[in-house]
Amino acid sequence: QVQNVESGGGLVQPGGSLRLSCVASGIIFNRYSMAWYRQAPGKQRELVASINSEGRTNYADSVKGRFTIFRNNAKSTVLLQMNSLNLEDTAVYYCNRLNRDDSWGQGTQVTVSS
């Protein structure tokens, strides 16, 4: 059974930073591209960043230069370092295998507010 468990969200002021973590289980982790997604209130879930099994990364234009995705295959973990957060980054953040629409976890809430 595939499981993704996200953590690390919270309340942060504009300009602040957070690091999200996701532990994946039930898969051979290092075989998959992994991704972070987010869903803001009233909006569709969107892809934020992805990293393939070789460490190649891609980012949504809205987060380029501010967010960094990286992975630790030994711990089946994918992380998202988020810097210079702004109000538009407020959302529930999820991790999953890239281009998969199953096995969604609970997500972790990120709220950017002054």
Side-chain angles (χ1 to χ4, degrees):
Q1 181 181 0
V2 180
Q3 272 194 312
N4 298 299
V5 180
E6 303 92 349
S7 62
L11 174 63
V12 62
Q13 292 186 336
S17 298
L18 283 174
R19 177 176 289 193
L20 307 183
S21 179
C22 171
V23 179
S25 59
I27 60 171
I28 301 175
F29 184 79
N30 59 13
R31 291 186 179 178
Y32 291 96
S33 295
M34 297 297 295
W36 281 95
Y37 300 81
R38 66 185 180 187
Q39 187 167 19
K43 295 187 177 180
Q44 288 190 330
R45 187 177 286 153
E46 64 172 347
L47 176 64
V48 174
S50 65
I51 183 167
N52 71 6
S53 57
E54 297 174 345
R56 180 173 295 179
T57 59
N58 278 293
Y59 297 92
D61 286 345
S62 59
V63 306
K64 277 181 183 175
R66 300 188 299 121
F67 290 13
T68 304
I69 186 171
F70 50 106
R71 64 192 294 162
N72 183 330
N73 289 334
K75 295 184 178 180
S76 299
T77 299
V78 57
L79 303 108
L80 187 69
Q81 177 66 40
M82 306 187 297
N83 298 328
S84 302
L85 286 160
N86 58 51
L87 300 179
E88 290 70 36
D89 295 318
T90 294
V92 179
Y93 284 71
Y94 303 87
C95 77
N96 207 341
R97 289 171 287 176
L98 182 64
N99 297 326
R100 296 296 291 257
D101 200 23
D102 58 354
S103 307
W104 293 102
Q106 298 279 350
T108 186
Q109 175 71 49
V110 172
T111 303
V112 184
S113 174
S114 55

